[in-house]
Amino acid sequence: MAVVPNPIRSVHACREACGACCIAPSISSAIPGMPNGKPAGVRCVQLGEDLRCAIFGDPLRPACCSGLKPSEPMCGNTRDHALAWLKQLEFDTKPAQPAQPERA
């Protein structure tokens, strides 16, 4: 009997030498070496020179990192696509800032 792939489940492997998801988004939870998380666009200290997460699979890895799964829309065909997509997602989901009073 042939196995039919589930069309709802999309399996997309991380691209080698990418690391976009460890750079583009902000992370508000603590990361080993970054107790206050990291701002968007800042390289995570756990991202190795090979652009792989040094704590992948470690229970100290933030849940937001473990929950972010590679996908075709996010990753596209290039690292630049992934960085741009994640940067836009960061912008689109940023909480509104309260209006600043005008200064005289």
Side-chain angles (χ1 to χ4, degrees):
M1 175 180 253
V3 176
V4 177
N6 182 343
I8 297 172
R9 187 172 154 234
S10 173
V11 178
H12 188 87
C14 282
R15 180 180 12 267
E16 286 192 40
C18 182
C21 58
C22 300
I23 298 168
S26 61
I27 298 175
S28 58
S29 51
I31 304 165
M34 297 180 104
N36 299 316
K38 68 169 222 58
V42 171
R43 183 186 176 106
C44 177
V45 298
Q46 296 300 331
L47 184 60
E49 291 301 316
D50 61 354
L51 297 176
R52 293 187 179 266
C53 176
I55 57 173
F56 189 88
D58 188 305
L60 295 175
R61 186 173 178 224
C64 62
C65 297
S66 300
L68 183 63
K69 303 294 184 204
S71 68
E72 184 61 36
M74 177 175 77
C75 301
N77 292 320
T78 66
R79 179 176 191 257
D80 288 339
H81 172 95
L83 284 165
W85 195 93
L86 287 162
K87 182 179 179 181
Q88 185 64 49
L89 179 66
E90 182 72 27
F91 177 80
D92 291 346
T93 59
K94 186 176 182 176
Q97 298 295 315
Q100 298 293 323
E102 290 187 32
R103 295 183 188 204

